Amino acid sequence: MICLYCGGDFIEPFSLHKMFFKERETACSQCLAQFERIKDPACEICCGTILENQKLCQNCKEYIKLNPNQPIIVNKSIFQYTNEMKEWLNRYKFYGDVTLASLFITDLKEYYQKSFRNFKIVPIPLSKERLKERGFNQVEILAQQAGLPFIKCLQRVHTEKQSKLSRYERLSREQVFSFCGDEKFKNVPILILDDVYTTGKTVRDAAIILLQNGATEVYSLTLIRA
Ligand SMILES: [Zn+2]
Ligand SMILES: [Zn+2]
């Protein structure tokens, strides 16, 4: 087969599971091996790096201290934001090569099934303007290709590109989401899905809106932890 990522020829490793579920590897093992997974122990709230013998990272400790009345949203991430991952994200999200979602759909699906099986998935939306500019929502494409059903019930106000903002500017922005679902949730646990977790502001904003609209508990799963 031809590797979707490097263009090289490769022989797909045999797996009974993959044969049974008719799944195909789309990239060669060298390409897949260059992406670094997050290893335990990680911060119990944001999945970020922690100091030895700690449960929470400095940022989460600080956040809790400054915002004692805010809900705590636990985030799980699968991959580290390495240079190799930046390169993938660039090709996928900014150059719009949507076929590259296939590199990580097995990881996403497996993580969901292992940890969040009964959760309803809500992907982080793009603003109308951003969607028009990019042409696709990179998070929805990941979910679709992974065969994970999701609900679109959040709307996002158009703001400055997040990647252009400093950590402080990101954290001090106002709420950027509103609810646009047909009806409120009735006692369902929700899993927010996003591609990259940076300060946690996006996930927390979305979670607050979902909790106000009937979600019983909210977690987030992000492919990459920056
Ligand atoms: Zn390759
Ligand atoms: Zn943390």
Side-chain angles (χ1 to χ4, degrees), residues 63 70-71 73 175 203-213:
Y63 180 82
Q70 290 294 322
I73 309 303
Q175 171 63 269
V203 160
R204 274 196 300 270
D205 275 2
I208 286 168
I209 301 293
L210 296 169
L211 289 166
Q212 283 167 356
N213 286 279

Side-chain angles (χ1 to χ4, degrees), residues 1-224:
M1 291 187 56
I2 301 292
C3 171
L4 204 64
Y5 202 57
C6 69
D9 237 330
F10 76 105
I11 297 167
E12 199 176 5
F14 177 78
S15 143
L16 213 52
H17 174 90
K18 287 197 174 121
M19 209 172 89
F20 188 72
F21 290 102
K22 295 197 173 69
E23 282 171 3
R24 313 217 61 174
E25 210 71 87
T26 54
C28 72
S29 51
Q30 285 98 312
C31 280
L32 292 174
Q34 62 177 327
F35 302 105
E36 226 173 284
R37 280 159 200 280
I38 292 177
K39 290 181 208 78
D40 281 333
C43 173
E44 289 181 1
I45 294 180
C46 73
C47 220
T49 314
I50 45 170
L51 298 171
E52 218 179 322
N53 299 323
Q54 301 283 309
K55 286 189 188 318
L56 303 181
C57 73
Q58 281 317 106
N59 286 336
C60 284
K61 283 184 189 168
E62 212 169 283
Y63 180 82
I64 292 170
K65 209 160 102 190
L66 296 173
N67 304 275
N69 301 319
Q70 290 294 322
I72 289 174
I73 309 303
V74 173
N75 170 67
K76 297 291 178 195
S77 299
I78 307 175
F79 292 97
Q80 309 265 18
Y81 195 47
T82 53
N83 285 334
E84 291 76 15
M85 193 45 107
K86 264 180 222 171
E87 165 75 18
W88 174 83
L89 198 63
N90 223 14
R91 287 173 60 179
Y92 174 55
K93 187 165 157 178
F94 300 111
Y95 288 93
D97 189 350
V98 291
T99 60
L100 296 184
S102 65
L103 266 68
F104 302 121
I105 54 176
T106 309
D107 297 282
L108 262 186
K109 195 160 77 182
E110 283 178 3
Y111 205 105
Y112 174 77
Q113 284 167 348
K114 189 182 72 184
S115 308
F116 296 108
R117 192 178 275 274
N118 298 315
F119 285 65
K120 294 243 183 286
I121 298 176
V122 173
I124 291 291
L126 302 177
S127 67
K128 278 198 194 100
E129 291 81 352
R130 185 80 66 235
L131 186 60
K132 208 169 155 201
E133 180 188 288
R134 188 170 298 154
F136 63 100
N137 177 328
Q138 73 279 1
V139 186
E140 289 175 11
I141 299 275
L142 278 166
Q144 263 162 15
Q145 289 202 24
L148 299 172
F150 55 86
I151 308 165
K152 294 198 205 191
C153 63
L154 292 174
Q155 205 159 263
R156 186 181 198 142
V157 193
H158 190 63
T159 48
E160 186 76 22
K161 261 195 184 145
Q162 287 219 71
S163 45
K164 294 209 170 96
L165 303 177
S166 70
R167 179 177 172 83
Y168 177 75
E169 285 170 326
R170 286 183 191 205
L171 286 171
S172 53
R173 269 183 312 135
E174 297 292 310
Q175 171 63 269
V176 291
F177 298 107
S178 61
F179 192 74
C180 64
D182 294 335
E183 52 177 22
K184 287 193 172 200
F185 293 110
K186 293 187 187 84
N187 293 331
V188 264
I190 303 281
L191 180 68
I192 295 172
L193 192 65
D194 205 0
D195 51 352
V196 187
Y197 184 106
T198 308
T199 62
K201 166 88 167 106
T202 304
V203 160
R204 274 196 300 270
D205 275 2
I208 286 168
I209 301 293
L210 296 169
L211 289 166
Q212 283 167 356
N213 286 279
T216 45
E217 49 178 336
V218 180
Y219 285 73
S220 69
L221 176 60
T222 45
L223 184 65
I224 307 159

